[in-house]
Amino acid sequence: MTEIEKSEGMILGPGVVETIVSMAAAEVEGVASVGSFTASGLRNMIAAKPATAGIAIQSDDNGCMRIDIHIEAYSGYPLPQLAANLRQAISDAVALQVGRTVSAVDVYVDGIQFAS
Protein backbone atom coordinates (compact mmCIF):
# COMPACT_ATOMS: atom_id res chain seq x y z
CA MET A 1 0.00 0.00 0.00
CA THR A 2 2.23 2.76 -1.26
CA GLU A 3 -0.46 5.34 -1.93
CA ILE A 4 -2.21 7.40 0.71
CA GLU A 5 -5.05 5.43 2.31
CA LYS A 6 -8.34 7.07 3.34
CA SER A 7 -10.06 5.41 6.28
CA GLU A 8 -12.67 6.41 8.85
CA GLY A 9 -12.36 10.14 8.18
CA MET A 10 -8.57 10.19 8.26
CA ILE A 11 -5.84 10.05 5.67
CA LEU A 12 -2.97 7.66 6.30
CA GLY A 13 0.40 8.36 4.74
CA PRO A 14 2.29 5.77 2.74
CA GLY A 15 3.68 3.00 4.93
CA VAL A 16 1.53 3.63 8.00
CA VAL A 17 -0.44 0.38 7.80
CA GLU A 18 2.71 -1.56 6.92
CA THR A 19 4.39 -0.17 10.06
CA ILE A 20 1.40 -1.20 12.20
CA VAL A 21 1.54 -4.71 10.69
CA SER A 22 5.32 -4.93 11.25
CA MET A 23 5.03 -3.86 14.89
CA ALA A 24 2.19 -6.34 15.55
CA ALA A 25 4.17 -9.17 13.95
CA ALA A 26 7.29 -8.36 15.95
CA GLU A 27 5.34 -8.84 19.19
CA VAL A 28 4.29 -12.40 18.31
CA GLU A 29 6.39 -14.98 20.14
CA GLY A 30 8.38 -17.05 17.67
CA VAL A 31 8.79 -14.36 15.01
CA ALA A 32 12.51 -13.73 14.46
CA SER A 33 12.13 -11.01 11.82
CA VAL A 34 9.77 -9.55 9.26
CA GLY A 35 11.08 -10.03 5.73
CA SER A 36 14.38 -11.79 5.15
CA PHE A 37 17.31 -11.20 7.50
CA THR A 38 19.20 -9.25 4.87
CA ALA A 39 16.18 -7.05 4.16
CA SER A 40 15.00 -6.45 7.72
CA GLY A 41 17.52 -7.73 10.25
CA LEU A 42 20.36 -5.45 9.27
CA ARG A 43 18.02 -2.48 8.87
CA ASN A 44 16.48 -3.08 12.30
CA MET A 45 19.92 -2.99 13.89
CA ILE A 46 20.61 0.51 12.56
CA ALA A 47 17.15 2.08 12.16
CA ALA A 48 14.66 3.22 14.78
CA LYS A 49 11.64 2.52 12.55
CA PRO A 50 10.29 -1.05 12.15
CA ALA A 51 11.05 -2.72 8.83
CA THR A 52 8.18 -2.89 6.37
CA ALA A 53 9.97 -4.93 3.68
CA GLY A 54 8.16 -8.21 3.20
CA ILE A 55 4.69 -6.74 3.75
CA ALA A 56 2.16 -6.22 0.96
CA ILE A 57 -1.32 -4.82 1.50
CA GLN A 58 -4.27 -4.68 -0.88
CA SER A 59 -7.64 -3.05 -0.26
CA ASP A 60 -10.83 -4.21 -1.92
CA ASP A 61 -13.86 -2.13 -2.91
CA ASN A 62 -15.51 -2.83 0.46
CA GLY A 63 -12.58 -1.40 2.41
CA CYS A 64 -11.30 -4.78 3.61
CA MET A 65 -7.57 -5.37 3.58
CA ARG A 66 -5.69 -8.45 2.40
CA ILE A 67 -2.20 -8.66 3.88
CA ASP A 68 0.81 -10.73 2.81
CA ILE A 69 3.68 -10.94 5.28
CA HIS A 70 7.05 -12.65 4.94
CA ILE A 71 8.77 -13.66 8.17
CA GLU A 72 11.60 -15.69 9.55
CA ALA A 73 10.68 -17.82 12.56
CA TYR A 74 12.68 -19.02 15.51
CA SER A 75 13.37 -22.75 15.57
CA GLY A 76 11.14 -24.77 17.87
CA TYR A 77 7.85 -22.97 17.31
CA PRO A 78 5.05 -24.92 15.59
CA LEU A 79 4.59 -23.04 12.32
CA PRO A 80 0.80 -23.51 11.95
CA GLN A 81 0.24 -22.06 15.43
CA LEU A 82 2.74 -19.26 14.76
CA ALA A 83 0.86 -18.34 11.56
CA ALA A 84 -2.48 -18.39 13.40
CA ASN A 85 -1.06 -16.12 16.13
CA LEU A 86 0.29 -13.73 13.48
CA ARG A 87 -3.06 -13.59 11.68
CA GLN A 88 -4.86 -12.75 14.92
CA ALA A 89 -2.32 -10.13 16.08
CA ILE A 90 -2.26 -8.37 12.70
CA SER A 91 -6.05 -8.41 12.28
CA ASP A 92 -6.54 -7.04 15.81
CA ALA A 93 -3.90 -4.30 15.38
CA VAL A 94 -5.31 -3.09 12.05
CA ALA A 95 -8.89 -3.14 13.39
CA LEU A 96 -7.92 -1.25 16.55
CA GLN A 97 -5.52 1.30 15.09
CA VAL A 98 -6.96 1.85 11.60
CA GLY A 99 -10.59 0.80 11.99
CA ARG A 100 -10.49 -1.52 8.98
CA THR A 101 -11.41 -5.18 8.62
CA VAL A 102 -8.73 -7.63 7.48
CA SER A 103 -10.17 -10.26 5.14
CA ALA A 104 -7.01 -12.40 4.99
CA VAL A 105 -3.44 -12.56 6.25
CA ASP A 106 -1.19 -14.82 4.19
CA VAL A 107 1.96 -15.76 6.12
CA TYR A 108 5.10 -16.77 4.22
CA VAL A 109 7.81 -18.38 6.36
CA ASP A 110 10.98 -17.63 4.40
CA GLY A 111 13.45 -19.07 6.88
CA ILE A 112 14.21 -20.44 10.33
CA GLN A 113 16.65 -18.84 12.75
CA PHE A 114 18.40 -20.85 15.43
CA ALA A 115 19.23 -19.44 18.84
CA SER A 116 22.91 -18.71 19.23
Side-chain angles (χ1 to χ4, degrees), residues 77-102:
Y77 287 87
L79 297 179
Q81 184 62 46
L82 178 62
N85 292 346
L86 269 167
R87 288 183 191 100
Q88 188 65 54
I90 290 169
S91 295
D92 290 349
V94 170
L96 178 68
Q97 296 182 46
V98 182
R100 298 277 292 274
T101 301
V102 175

Side-chain angles (χ1 to χ4, degrees), residues 18-110:
E18 288 89 341
T19 300
I20 290 167
V21 169
S22 179
M23 292 171 62
E27 293 179 5
V28 174
E29 188 175 352
V31 173
S33 65
V34 175
S36 68
F37 178 74
T38 54
S40 64
L42 294 175
R43 182 174 185 262
N44 282 343
M45 288 191 288
I46 58 174
K49 186 176 177 182
T52 57
I55 298 171
I57 300 174
Q58 298 173 347
S59 292
D60 65 18
D61 294 336
N62 298 323
C64 292
M65 293 182 169
R66 180 180 186 91
I67 300 170
D68 293 340
I69 184 165
H70 291 258
I71 66 154
E72 290 192 358
Y74 284 118
S75 175
Y77 287 87
L79 297 179
Q81 184 62 46
L82 178 62
N85 292 346
L86 269 167
R87 288 183 191 100
Q88 188 65 54
I90 290 169
S91 295
D92 290 349
V94 170
L96 178 68
Q97 296 182 46
V98 182
R100 298 277 292 274
T101 301
V102 175
S103 61
V105 177
D106 293 327
V107 178
Y108 298 85
V109 180
D110 293 337

